[in-house]
Amino acid sequence: MATDETSTADPAATAVEPRTTDGTRTSDAPAPDAPEGAAEPVSDAPVGAAGPAPVSGPPTTVDPAGPTGTARDGRFWAWTLLGLVIVVGLGALTRYLEQHVPGWAEGTAVEDIGAAIEYPVYAILLGLLGNVAVTLLGWRDRIAAAFRTEFFIKTGLVLLGASINLAVIASAAGPAIAQAILLISGVFLFTWWLAGRFGLDDKLRALLASAVSICGVSAAIAAAGAVRARREQLAYTASLVIIFALPSIFILPWLADVLGLSDAVAGAWIGGNIDTTAAVTAAGAIAGEEALQIASIVKVTQNALMGVVAVALTAYFTLRVERRPGAERPGLRELWIRFPKFVLGFIAASVIATWYLDGAGADGKATIAIVNDLRVWFLILAFVSIGLEVRVASLREAGWRPVAVFASATVFNLALALALASLLFRDFSA
């Protein structure tokens, strides 16, 4: 599931965005907190920022309803409620399509495709259609406060931690962890370097590198919080992940068969390449039961390292990328302020789930299944909100360069993962 790049300017604006003394855009700097109840701008606000920047212009007049602006607040909350109804309604439609399209496609020429399409595809497409509708109706800015992308994403990722059983990872600790560390490091650094050669913005570089090397959209979300990327960049990255993950479901099992790979090696290769957990499961099932087991363990192990990458990106962007020339070296307090706190929730959920399953056994799996279903709902609402928020003009500005970087990094990932899987899993048996 994947995102984008270059200017944060509204497509209707013609003025050149001011820059700081070091040449960075002022919109890339951390924004101050917004007044309570204010709707945040949807095109320029960075993911994970403390709040939207105040809008410049003439002072507003006092609302005649009183010093608290009761009437204005009433209209604000009415529009926000309408927006929330739209978001939840599109989310429910996404869930309906996800559950019923495979059945509708069964027995047809598109049966495999219908079964492989995941909820982010439906959610983003429906969000984009909704975007067009509310824009034509003139509602978009009025209901924007309901597009709580950041809240939905962070909550979903915390709940994602419950699906990562550390005990399962430990069962294949040696080869799975070794492959995860080597693969993530190699692919991340290659993608970061290549994106730099193509002249991409550092924040987009971080999102693309995280998405390709770790676990697709989830990793891009964590990276976006750490580097305070813009929502268009996250939407663009999520789209690239989806576009590349879908054909991989069928291509990788076929290539594994052509190359004569063992089930363990095929599973490790699939788990180390495909950028979404659900797509890994689908491809692993095609390759065989043992391949599915290994693919799942490898992917979960990579997911578990998402927090480590978020910490590293926070430190790098705070100490290097966004540090002003001549400024004092930021201390631990600044790093803590910048660090995406939801990553701690993700880790805590993983630890708690592991401890709970160890004691609850089979009964505990049903509880975790409920948590996972709730996580899917929050992520669906997040992807719908991304579709509703995205500015098409900002996506067009990215051009072909991010696509070229993502495609090249995917090929590099395929080659490196195959080499590591063949080395580390050649004698492994699930």
Side-chain angles (χ1 to χ4, degrees), residues 30-55:
D33 289 336
E36 182 178 357
E40 62 178 2
V42 296
S43 64
D44 298 342
V47 177
V55 178

Side-chain angles (χ1 to χ4, degrees), residues 80-321:
T80 300
L81 179 59
L82 174 61
L84 188 59
V85 169
I86 293 173
V87 172
V88 174
L90 292 175
L93 181 56
T94 296
R95 196 67 162 153
Y96 180 82
L97 292 174
E98 177 205 12
Q99 295 173 344
H100 290 83
V101 167
W104 296 339
E106 189 173 353
T108 69
V110 295
E111 178 177 358
D112 290 340
I113 296 176
I117 295 178
E118 304 171 57
Y119 64 84
V121 178
Y122 299 119
I124 290 181
L125 289 177
L126 289 174
L128 290 172
L129 291 175
N131 190 333
V132 173
V134 298
T135 299
L136 292 176
L137 291 170
W139 295 354
R140 189 178 187 278
D141 292 336
R142 295 182 179 184
I143 65 174
F147 305 157
R148 309 311 300 173
T149 304
E150 188 174 342
F151 169 75
F152 295 142
I153 283 174
K154 290 180 177 180
T155 305
L157 285 188
V158 169
L159 296 175
L160 174 64
S163 67
I164 297 180
N165 189 337
L166 300 179
V168 174
I169 296 176
S171 68
I177 293 177
Q179 173 169 317
I181 293 175
L182 293 173
L183 191 60
I184 288 174
S185 301
V187 176
F188 186 98
L189 292 174
F190 173 81
T191 309
W192 178 269
W193 168 81
L194 185 63
R197 299 286 293 181
F198 275 78
L200 299 186
D201 173 81
D202 283 342
K203 294 181 179 182
L204 182 59
R205 292 170 72 189
L207 267 60
L208 293 175
S210 299
V212 178
S213 63
I214 309 174
C215 53
V217 177
S218 298
I221 291 167
V227 307
R228 298 183 177 182
R230 298 192 305 277
R231 288 184 176 88
E232 285 84 2
Q233 294 175 318
L234 180 57
Y236 192 84
T237 301
S239 301
L240 287 178
V241 170
I242 294 170
I243 291 170
F244 280 81
L246 287 177
S248 298
I249 294 174
F250 309 102
I251 294 174
L252 262 63
W254 173 74
L255 285 176
D257 185 57
V258 170
L259 296 173
L261 303 181
S262 67
D263 287 345
V265 172
W269 190 38
I270 289 170
N273 272 283
I274 300 179
D275 290 326
T276 71
T277 302
V280 165
T281 301
I286 294 174
E289 183 62 29
E290 183 178 354
L292 173 59
Q293 293 179 32
I294 299 299
S296 299
I297 291 172
V298 169
K299 177 52 63 179
V300 167
T301 304
Q302 289 187 194
N303 290 354
L305 295 175
M306 184 169 58
V308 177
V309 175
V311 172
L313 286 173
T314 300
Y316 181 76
F317 270 74
T318 302
L319 298 175
R320 295 287 300 275
V321 176

Side-chain angles (χ1 to χ4, degrees), residues 390-414:
V390 71
R391 304 276 187 181
V392 177
S394 296
L395 297 182
R396 285 200 302 264
E397 290 173 359
W400 58 271
R401 293 175 300 156
V403 179
V405 169
F406 199 93
S408 300
T410 299
V411 173
F412 180 81
N413 193 18
L414 282 168

